[in-house]
Amino acid sequence: MLNDKVIVITGGAGLLGQAFVEAIAKSGGTAVIADLDVATAVSVKDRLASSEGGLIIDTVALDITSAESVDAAIKAVSEKYGRVDALINNAYPRNKNYGRHFFDVEYDDFCTNLNMNLGGYFLTSQKFARYFVQQGHGNIVNISSIYGVIAPKFDIYDDTKMTMPVEYAAIKSGLIHLTKYMAGYLKGKNIRVNAISPGGIFDHQPEDFLTSYNDHCLNKGMLDPQDLCGTLLYLLSDHSSFVNGQNLVVDDGFTLS
């Protein structure tokens, strides 16, 4: 599906990013892990490349909150491969105080986390979109969330130390509308911008939480990272040539109840 496409995945060394990188490479694309943690990115590249022959996986250092870093990453990838076909905004930067309960969140932390995450997505998208305009084509896929679409179901966090961070809701809902804004703004430029809003991803959460979460789903419940890859490959491929400005929800029906 992705033969000869060069695709940059921000946060490519993370939980979702690793699954995306592997799926892209197995579909014939060149998967470039763009991550602040270069050592981990190289380790992921080596592990995936050794697991199956013929995969094209590369790495580039990237801090999505730094204009200089984004410019350098675009320059490095485009000079090496001659083009960049797509960007996946998947990085998840946050400060040490991220994830507190609503009344415990400090204003400065709220602003910092929005700036790092949503601001970083804006910066990276702006820089890549400018490159795509000059190139004559491009594709941006933003990783949002079901909690950018609906209000949190706070009851599923009862009897756990977990919560749904207010910063997360603001970031992910803002990202969906940023997706639509950019798609409209780039009209006529042969650049598509779409979003994927995943449901919960299994990461060894407490059993009580998993049970409560799964009760709201229709079949599987909590998803694995690989469950998003079919939708991602579709948006990256020519099969979705006329899908633009959309948010595709992949949540096993969680948002229905």
Side-chain angles (χ1 to χ4, degrees):
M1 291 177 70
L2 303 180
N3 282 350
D4 301 321
K5 292 186 184 293
V6 179
I7 299 165
V8 174
I9 308 98
T10 73
L15 179 67
L16 291 180
Q18 293 184 40
F20 295 164
V21 167
E22 183 174 16
I24 290 165
K26 285 184 175 180
S27 295
T30 297
V32 181
I33 303 172
D35 208 288
L36 189 61
D37 186 346
V38 177
T40 299
V42 171
S43 176
V44 169
K45 179 192 77 168
D46 292 345
R47 176 177 59 79
L48 293 177
S50 65
S51 68
E52 183 171 335
L55 300 185
I56 305 175
I57 301 173
D58 206 347
T59 64
V60 67
L62 178 64
D63 176 358
I64 69 169
T65 67
S66 164
E68 293 78 11
S69 179
V70 178
D71 285 336
I74 294 172
K75 185 174 185 289
V77 176
S78 62
E79 287 185 350
K80 184 170 184 176
Y81 296 101
R83 68 189 189 282
V84 180
D85 295 292
L87 165 72
I88 303 172
N89 274 316
N90 170 70
Y92 189 23
R94 52 210 184 272
N95 74 7
K96 65 180 182 179
N97 295 323
Y98 175 86
R100 292 176 171 177
H101 284 260
F102 180 76
F103 287 121
D104 298 324
V105 175
E106 298 287 344
Y107 174 72
D108 287 346
D109 287 324
F110 180 87
C111 294
T112 296
N113 283 305
L114 258 69
N115 185 57
M116 292 172 67
N117 201 308
L118 184 59
Y121 277 39
F122 157 76
L123 175 63
T124 307
S125 296
Q126 183 192 54
K127 295 282 188 180
F128 272 84
R130 183 175 284 118
Y131 172 84
F132 290 153
V133 168
Q134 295 172 349
Q135 176 176 253
H137 74 274
N139 190 352
I140 298 173
V141 179
N142 294 316
I143 305 303
S144 183
S145 167
I146 50 173
Y147 282 149
V149 178
I150 63 169
K153 300 180 190 293
F154 287 107
D155 60 299
I156 67 175
Y157 302 100
D158 289 349
D159 301 320
T160 76
K161 295 181 180 179
M162 302 168 62
T163 189
M164 215 297 291
V166 62
E167 304 99 319
Y168 188 85
I171 289 163
K172 295 303 187 180
S173 58
L175 182 57
I176 291 171
H177 207 74
L178 180 62
T179 298
K180 297 176 182 294
Y181 176 98
M182 291 190 296
Y185 187 82
L186 295 168
K187 177 182 178 180
K189 304 295 185 183
N190 198 28
I191 300 169
R192 296 191 292 122
V193 189
N194 292 288
I196 299 174
S197 284
I201 305 298
F202 178 73
D203 192 20
H204 305 284
Q205 293 92 338
E207 194 62 37
D208 287 345
F209 168 77
L210 293 173
T211 299
S212 296
Y213 181 94
N214 292 348
D215 284 344
H216 289 277
C217 298
L218 302 182
N219 292 293
K220 180 176 182 176
M222 189 72 62
L223 303 178
D224 295 307
Q226 292 76 15
D227 296 328
L228 305 178
C229 291
T231 303
L232 178 68
L233 295 178
Y234 168 69
L235 289 176
L236 293 172
S237 76
D238 294 339
H239 293 297
S240 60
S241 293
F242 304 105
V243 178
N244 204 352
Q246 303 304 306
N247 177 47
L248 305 187
V249 177
V250 184
D251 70 344
D252 192 28
F254 182 86
T255 52
L256 293 177
S257 62

